Amino acid sequence: MKKIHRVLAMLMAAIMALGLITTAFAEPTIDTSKKASLSIYKYDITKAGNDGAWDAESYVSTGLHDDAVIDKLSKYAIQGVEFTYLRVADITMNNELVDGQRHVGVLYGFDNSDRSTAVLSAIGLTGADAHKTEDDVNYFTSDMLNNKLSAALAANATTVKNALEAAVKNGGVAMTETDATGHTSTSNMEQGLYLVVETRVPENVTSTCNPFFVSLPMTTIDGAAWNYDVTVYPKNQTGNPDLEKTVREAKNSTGKNTGSLTDIKDGYEHTATASVGDVVDYQIISTLPTITSKASALSEYTYVDTLSKGIRYNKNDVVIEFFKDAGCTDKITTWAENSGKFTVAYDDAANTMTIRMTDTGLAEINEATTVYTDSVKRGYSDCTMRITYAATLTSDAQMGNKDNPNEVELTWKRTNTTYYDTLKDCCHVYTYGIDVLKQFSDNGGNLRNVKFRLHNDTDDVFVIADLKDGVYYAKGLTAKKSDATTFIPNAQGHIVVKGLEDDAYSLTEIATDKGYVLLKDAVKIVIKTAENGTCEQCGAKLQTASATVNSKNITMTEGNAIVPLTVVNNPGFDLPKTGGYGTWMFTIGGGYAMIPLIEREVVNRGWLDKQDFMDLFAMTQSLPGIFAVNISIFVGYKLKKVTGSIVCAGGTILPSFCIILAIALFFNHFQDNIWVMKIFNGIRPAVVALILVPCISAARSLHLKWVELILPAIGAVLIWKCGVSPAYIVLAGIIGGLIYTFWIKGKMKQGNGE
């Protein structure tokens, strides 16, 4: 933050009287034939005081050139100050008896001219207050003039300064502006009492010093001689208004600035993070300069606010508040856009907003009389102006360390200056993203069947995003899971989501391709920010980001903007389907691999002969259900009728049911383990052999010829390579079998002579 020291409101009362003559004896008397001169040196008392080079007790005004003062304060010289002087009274020696004693002193004679009357009226003197009156001239002592001027400034500084400034401008003479040493002078001046007013100050000088009287000539400090070449050292307070711009992610739900916020520290910082679509609140804080008179009043006060490309103004949203204190707790008033006290103009091409105080607004700032009870300050002098508005982060926002800087420039001008002062400050908004690479462990699978959902764990909401040119841009948040965006990988397997703030997120896979296992747990992503460098313009601490994925540190890409991560799906298991991997755990290949075992148990025990088993095998394959159970029912019926069927079926079903139930309960914990996958992949060739054995055995039992295996082989190829449904192959077999059967019957009838 760039801050320039605040202006103090007024010049110290002791300084006002610099150069004033005191009533004292002086010998010899004034040489009325001599001309006089006036020299003025101007110094930055604010900086000198901060450096310990000056304090109010250190210097006594003598009217003499003081090399010690010049040497000590020369580096604090103020160039470009204009003083205007006006001769308001004659100076004369006064010799009179008081209580039997003779007093010699000085009196200042004010005639009845308009300018003399204006000066006396401004400080509260009339002819009735004069030490004496002769020939329509009112004579006042220096003590009377000094005391009245000090009392008037203390009672109503602004009014008195304005009146004296007006009097001097009407007939006064402007001195040349102070040079690089802070010095200006004029010579060949008539003797008399002069009113000196500071009528123009340079950049960084926020208020004019109070008007003061100078007597030409004036007595030396001991009253023993006259000084015709008077030197004074009036001192200005310097500095500019404060300016600070800060930002925060919006706390209101409407996305509009309400103007109701009063705590300037309520989440506002020079840096913030936000997601695309988020509303961000901005505030501009400016401490108004000291206003002590019309000469130091503001004639222009304008803000030009510039947002970066990735942030858009929420228009008609500006609220201005005024506070007595820097903390913005003691509110004076609030201005809305329709108040007529300021205007707002937008330049969409440049993405700027210009806030300009109108004449009505400036008049209130300069002239309001209800703010202060003391006499020194007027209007909203030294008060705090707070501007608030809202804006929205767009998909054009820069990501990572590049950030989105937002600058404000304050241009202001006083009525007594011909130049403009400018202050600048800025703040920064950061946003980030993730890049998910979706893969299948066997390089198979269809990426378009994969779906993810992104949850903001910090705020307990889901991310909503728009897809543009293959990239998802966050545009909002929702508490409803059903309204959340479904993220699908592109052809290269990437899901890129941009415009996320620094929060904790959960990436959940909600769908994957057939034959692959969903991620059991959500991927935990955390984006954190930390200070990194300093902005050259505003002095704020810039930010950089870091990230973790499932608590492991991840190197972000693209200038710490993107969190990269890879999600891998493994081939899965369908439980508890017959023939699936779940049954293979104990049957190694499913029902077909069990045929040799069933044949051995049934045929070798003599329950069925070889031919009966083959016939039963063919019949059970044509029936619905598991053929092992079907065989057990037929075998049991042959041996013990209905009772045998029930016992055999129960003996076949119950052990498998219990085993598969246990597998279903525990297998999910290790089904996607890579070593389990490799074990089953290694078993597959053996399973093929197990299934092939009964097929060959059956073929031999049926005395099939090799040519008769052509059609089954074609069917297998159609299912395997061409993706033809087995149902169609079975249907074709049925039809073919019927045709062949009817053809055989026809042949047999012909052979029998029918």
Side-chain angles (χ1 to χ4, degrees):
M1 179 182 67
K2 182 182 293 182
K3 282 204 171 193
I4 304 174
H5 294 294
R6 292 182 62 182
V7 176
L8 299 178
M10 72 171 181
L11 203 59
M12 302 183 64
I15 299 174
M16 312 299 172
L18 285 176
L20 288 181
I21 190 170
T22 59
T23 304
F25 293 104
E27 293 292 346
T29 60
I30 299 174
D31 185 351
T32 57
S33 66
K34 286 188 174 182
K35 296 292 185 179
S37 67
L38 175 64
S39 288
I40 301 177
Y41 287 86
K42 289 293 300 197
Y43 300 111
D44 183 348
I45 194 60
T46 301
K47 185 170 178 51
N50 292 338
D51 294 345
W54 182 89
D55 64 78
E57 307 295 329
S58 299
Y59 304 102
V60 178
S61 175
T62 65
L64 299 175
H65 185 88
D66 193 335
D67 287 330
V69 173
I70 295 173
D71 290 342
K72 199 162 188 178
L73 299 181
S74 60
K75 67 177 180 179
Y76 306 106
I78 302 176
Q79 185 176 3
V81 179
E82 179 190 81
F83 290 94
T84 301
Y85 61 84
L86 176 69
R87 188 176 182 276
V88 295
D90 295 325
I91 183 172
T92 182
M93 298 291 297
N94 182 50
N95 189 338
E96 60 185 29
L97 286 172
V98 180
D99 297 330
Q101 296 185 2
R102 184 163 297 279
H103 288 258
V104 179
V106 177
L107 294 176
Y108 301 95
F110 287 76
D111 58 25
N112 290 322
S113 63
D114 291 341
R115 64 184 181 184
S116 295
T117 301
V119 172
L120 292 175
S121 177
I123 64 177
L125 286 175
T126 66
D129 301 311
H131 182 76
K132 67 178 183 179
T133 302
E134 294 179 354
D135 300 327
D136 292 329
V137 177
N138 296 313
Y139 291 91
F140 298 90
T141 64
S142 60
D143 288 340
M144 175 64 74
L145 293 170
N146 287 341
N147 293 336
K148 275 295 189 179
L149 176 60
S150 297
L153 289 170
N156 196 344
T158 300
T159 301
V160 174
K161 286 187 70 174
N162 286 336
L164 295 178
E165 288 172 3
V168 168
K169 289 181 179 181
N170 184 21
V173 178
M175 303 174 67
T176 59
E177 293 182 358
T178 55
D179 58 21
T181 67
H183 178 251
T184 184
S185 64
T186 186
S187 59
N188 201 32
M189 302 175 68
E190 296 290 334
Q191 296 178 14
L193 182 68
Y194 287 82
L195 175 65
V196 182
V197 174
E198 192 172 357
T199 50
R200 182 177 297 145
V201 294
E203 187 175 2
N204 296 333
V205 176
T206 61
S207 63
T208 57
C209 68
N210 282 348
F212 57 91
F213 290 122
V214 175
S215 177
L216 298 180
M218 64 179 295
T219 60
T220 57
I221 195 71
D222 58 5
W226 290 98
N227 175 22
Y228 295 87
D229 300 306
V230 176
T231 301
V232 296
Y233 300 89
K235 302 171 180 67
N236 282 89
Q237 305 288 343
T238 62
N240 273 332
D242 293 344
L243 179 66
E244 183 176 32
K245 184 177 184 181
T246 51
V247 62
R248 71 173 187 181
E249 184 184 353
K251 292 189 174 183
N252 63 77
S253 60
T254 64
K256 299 291 287 183
N257 174 41
T258 63
S260 61
L261 303 171
T262 58
D263 185 358
I264 64 173
K265 297 181 179 179
D266 187 18
Y268 285 95
E269 301 287 348
H270 272 281
T271 58
T273 66
S275 300
V276 171
D278 281 353
V279 174
V280 289
D281 292 329
Y282 287 96
Q283 68 174 4
I284 303 171
I285 301 291
S286 173
T287 301
L288 291 164
T290 302
I291 304 168
T292 57
S293 67
K294 291 182 179 180
S296 58
L298 294 174
S299 60
E300 187 167 330
Y301 212 72
T302 301
Y303 299 88
V304 178
D305 189 86
T306 304
L307 291 178
S308 56
K309 181 180 178 182
I311 305 179
R312 182 184 65 253
Y313 289 102
N314 295 354
K315 297 181 178 180
N316 304 315
D317 202 37
V318 177
V319 175
I320 298 180
E321 300 165 290
F322 293 90
F323 301 86
K324 292 183 181 180
D325 63 317
C328 296
T329 59
D330 189 0
K331 183 183 289 189
I332 301 170
T333 188
T334 299
W335 292 356
E337 280 197 41
N338 61 359
S339 64
K341 298 176 182 180
F342 67 96
T343 60
V344 183
Y346 298 94
D347 185 337
D348 293 333
N351 207 20
T352 62
M353 174 180 65
T354 301
I355 304 172
R356 188 184 307 276
M357 304 300 114
T358 64
D359 290 342
T360 302
L362 288 171
E364 182 171 331
I365 292 173
N366 291 323
E367 302 173 9
T369 59
T370 59
V371 179
Y372 298 102
T373 59
D374 60 79
S375 65
V376 176
K377 302 176 181 179
R378 80 176 280 123
Y380 297 154
S381 173
D382 295 328
C383 291
T384 300
M385 175 188 288
R386 180 175 184 261
I387 300 174
T388 55
Y389 67 90
T392 303
L393 197 69
T394 72
S395 59
D396 293 325
Q398 296 278 1
M399 300 184 63
N401 295 345
K402 294 181 180 179
D403 83 84
N404 302 273
N406 317 123
E407 180 183 285
V408 62
E409 179 178 281
L410 168 62
T411 301
W412 56 286
K413 181 179 177 295
R414 294 183 184 270
T415 56
N416 68 337
T417 61
T418 58
Y419 55 84
Y420 292 87
D421 288 303
T422 300
L423 296 175
K424 293 182 179 180
D425 199 49
C426 63
C427 57
H428 306 261
V429 177
Y430 295 84
T431 192
Y432 306 96
I434 62 174
D435 183 359
V436 182
L437 176 59
K438 173 64 182 179
Q439 294 180 336
F440 297 98
S441 61
D442 59 356
N443 296 321
N446 187 348
L447 292 168
R448 302 306 297 173
N449 293 330
V450 177
K451 299 177 181 179
F452 287 90
R453 185 186 298 119
L454 187 62
H455 182 262
N456 186 316
D457 298 340
T458 304
D459 300 325
D460 192 22
V461 289
F462 295 92
V463 175
I464 303 174
D466 285 331
L467 182 62
K468 180 181 179 182
D469 298 328
V471 176
Y472 289 95
Y473 292 94
K475 68 173 184 178
L477 302 168
T478 178
K480 296 182 178 180
K481 184 184 296 185
S482 58
D483 294 336
T485 296
T486 299
F487 298 93
I488 300 174
N490 60 21
Q492 291 73 43
H494 287 272
I495 300 174
V496 180
V497 185
K498 293 186 176 182
L500 302 175
E501 58 189 303
D502 60 339
D503 277 330
Y505 298 88
S506 292
L507 181 69
T508 303
E509 189 176 43
I510 58 176
T512 189
D513 197 22
K514 183 178 181 181
Y516 294 87
V517 181
L518 281 172
L519 294 182
K520 182 173 62 177
D521 299 315
V523 180
K524 299 293 185 179
I525 306 166
V526 178
I527 304 173
K528 296 182 179 180
T529 55
E531 294 181 355
N532 180 43
T534 303
C535 175
E536 294 182 357
Q537 178 167 307
C538 68
K541 296 294 184 181
L542 301 178
Q543 292 186 351
T544 188
S546 61
T548 61
V549 176
N550 291 336
S551 301
K552 296 181 179 180
N553 293 328
I554 298 294
T555 301
M556 299 180 69
T557 61
E558 301 181 28
N560 292 327
I562 302 295
V563 181
L565 65 148
T566 301
V567 177
V568 180
N569 281 131
N570 295 307
F573 309 94
D574 295 324
L575 292 177
K577 294 179 181 178
T578 303
Y581 278 115
T583 58
W584 283 13
M585 291 282 294
F586 291 89
T587 62
I588 314 298
Y592 292 105
M594 295 169 59
I595 292 175
L597 301 177
I598 297 173
E599 181 182 1
R600 186 181 65 189
E601 292 295 323
V602 173
V603 176
N604 292 351
R605 292 178 181 273
W607 294 343
L608 295 175
D609 58 29
K610 182 77 169 179
Q611 186 59 48
D612 288 341
F613 177 77
M614 297 306 300
D615 292 341
L616 188 58
F617 171 68
M619 184 176 64
T620 55
Q621 285 291 81
S622 65
L623 297 175
I626 303 170
F627 78 85
V629 176
N630 294 341
I631 289 176
S632 70
I633 292 173
F634 281 108
V635 172
Y637 185 84
K638 182 178 181 181
L639 297 176
K640 296 292 182 178
K641 302 300 180 181
V642 176
T643 302
S645 296
I646 295 173
V647 172
C648 289
T652 303
I653 295 172
L654 287 177
S656 299
F657 174 79
C658 295
I659 292 171
I660 295 300
L661 181 62
I663 293 171
L665 291 174
F666 301 105
F667 191 57
N668 281 333
H669 296 288
F670 57 87
Q671 64 176 338
D672 56 350
N673 186 285
I674 189 63
W675 294 107
V676 175
M677 301 295 175
K678 291 181 178 181
I679 290 172
F680 286 131
N681 289 335
I683 292 175
R684 284 180 178 179
V687 172
V688 173
L690 286 173
I691 296 174
L692 196 60
V693 166
C695 293
I696 295 174
S697 177
R700 288 178 176 178
S701 299
L702 295 173
H703 304 290
L704 296 176
K705 299 178 181 179
W706 290 106
V707 70
E708 294 176 315
L709 298 177
I710 294 176
L711 289 178
I714 292 172
V717 171
L718 290 174
I719 295 172
W720 178 35
K721 290 293 186 180
C722 300
V724 178
S725 174
Y728 295 126
I729 303 298
V730 172
L731 183 61
I734 294 172
I735 295 173
L738 291 173
I739 294 173
Y740 181 74
T741 300
F742 288 129
W743 182 75
I744 291 294
K745 285 184 175 181
K747 287 288 187 182
M748 292 176 65
K749 286 182 179 181
Q750 291 179 2
N752 295 329
E754 296 180 3

